[in-house]
Amino acid sequence: LLGKLTDPGLLPAAGYLNGEWIAKSDSGKAFGVTNPANGETIATLPDMGAAETARAIDAAYVAQKQWAAKTAKERSAMLRKLNDLMLAHVDDLAVILTSEMGKPVGEAGGEIRYGASYLEWFAEEAKRIDGDVLPGQQADKRVVVLKQPVGVVGMITPWNFPNAMLARKMAPALAVGCAVVSKPAAQTPLSAIAIAVLCERAGLPAGLFNLIVGTSGSEVGKEMCANPKLRKLSFTGSTEVGRILMRQGADQILKLSLELGGNAPFIVFDDADLDAAAKGAIMSKYRNAGQTCVCANRIYVQDSVYDAFAEKFAAQAEALKGGDGFEDGVDMGPLIDEAGLAKVEDHVADALSKGAKLVTGGSRSNAGALFYQPTVLRNVTREMKVAREETFGPVAPLFRFDTVEDVIEQANATEFGLAAYFYARDLSRVWRVAEALEYGMVGVNTGIISNEGAPFGGVKQSGLGREGSKYGADDYLEMKYVCMGGV
Ligand code: ADP
């Protein structure tokens, strides 16, 4: 992998703790990172755990106080520098990302630019963390509200967006004066290492951004939840692990931001532009080979347009090319690992055994060990696993519905509430459906909703808090009321 980079310095085989590169773990253990497209080992890293995490939190605790004392303009300038560095190295960062995660390299470049957009956004927001002065309740008193950083923040991120999920968390945290202890997924630590290198090159003070790489997510999570110097944990990953962290954080009333699983409905009404709907559904469903928490998971199509939509959609799905992310013209990379692939196979087998009809795909592809064909299923019902669980793979189940009430009920019949999509043109329907969907984000006549200017996040068991937009800094701020008396 190093040979493919114009700047191999972006990839030391080490974690980053208090401004130092740690190539050997306390335990002496190491772990390998593999390319999911071909199974090759591309890096060997120190397997860091709880002890290193505790030291990182100590370092961050000291660094945070000094960082918070800087002016907003100074913090802003640092984030801007980091943004510029990320964009300057977009090609190398995309190569690193595709090598560890598998998505097509063009899509990886898109993710880097998306990640950088949060650095730019919060470089700008850093200067606008305004307090407030409220009317006093007595003649000699004034009510002042200060906004202060929460302190040291732990960040646990998943493998599906190895760059952007970290960038999206660290940008608001650093902007308002917090320090960071981050732990990327064991499958994809390399993009985070490259980010740590850029932090060092940007001149971020030692201890302000720390990176723990390792395989024992639960050990690191426990230390973060129990350590009183860590004041907040921001996690993106499964609802299952989110619940564990919430329980573990209860003892110290840990503040949490959680971006958890989704089970996104994608609804096509009879007044929709069907060509646009099919295109939007393809983008929403098959991006990242179906491995995003906002991917369409259940596609509901109104009775009278079901056949027409299914035909248009399946034709485009069938044309998607799976393969190594570095090959030209590849639309879809591999699944991340054998467990991910097994879940996809299980969902398809379950649906077929209960009467679903295979339109296209339905098996592993010959592009490599972890590849699965773009798959479309018809005649899908709510009794099947694809209706209830997040598939996290390139499988599109097409449900049929009759009335608006019926589809709203089905769309909301899940414990998840992250993203939902629908295509319709009637103005009244658009408003009423958008309001009735119990989701944190709704795409109307679009399959792509993520951007740094919008509040990303879920309701129900999809999480707590919002990332991005003018609201995104709130998650990293405490409000302090100062009562000024004797005026
Ligand atoms: P995914 O399905 O995306 O792999 P996970 O929730 O399993 O989602 O993992 C997301 C992140 O959480 C990864 O960085 C993983 O290492 C970490 N993780 C897994 N289990 C735990 C745990 N018990 N405590 C803390 N972090 C964990």
Side-chain angles (χ1 to χ4, degrees), residues 155-160 183-188 214-222 224-225 233 235-242 244-245 248 260 336-337 390 392:
M155 301 183 176
I156 301 181
T157 50
W159 48 263
N160 60 345
K183 208 293 289 173
Q187 297 97 325
T188 58
T215 55
S216 49
S218 63
E219 236 193 80
V220 172
K222 270 190 204 133
M224 286 183 173
C225 289
L233 181 56
F235 170 76
T236 296
S238 62
T239 296
E240 203 185 324
V241 173
I244 295 173
L245 294 170
Q248 286 175 0
L260 308 176
I336 190 68
D337 54 24
E390 194 177 21
F392 234 62

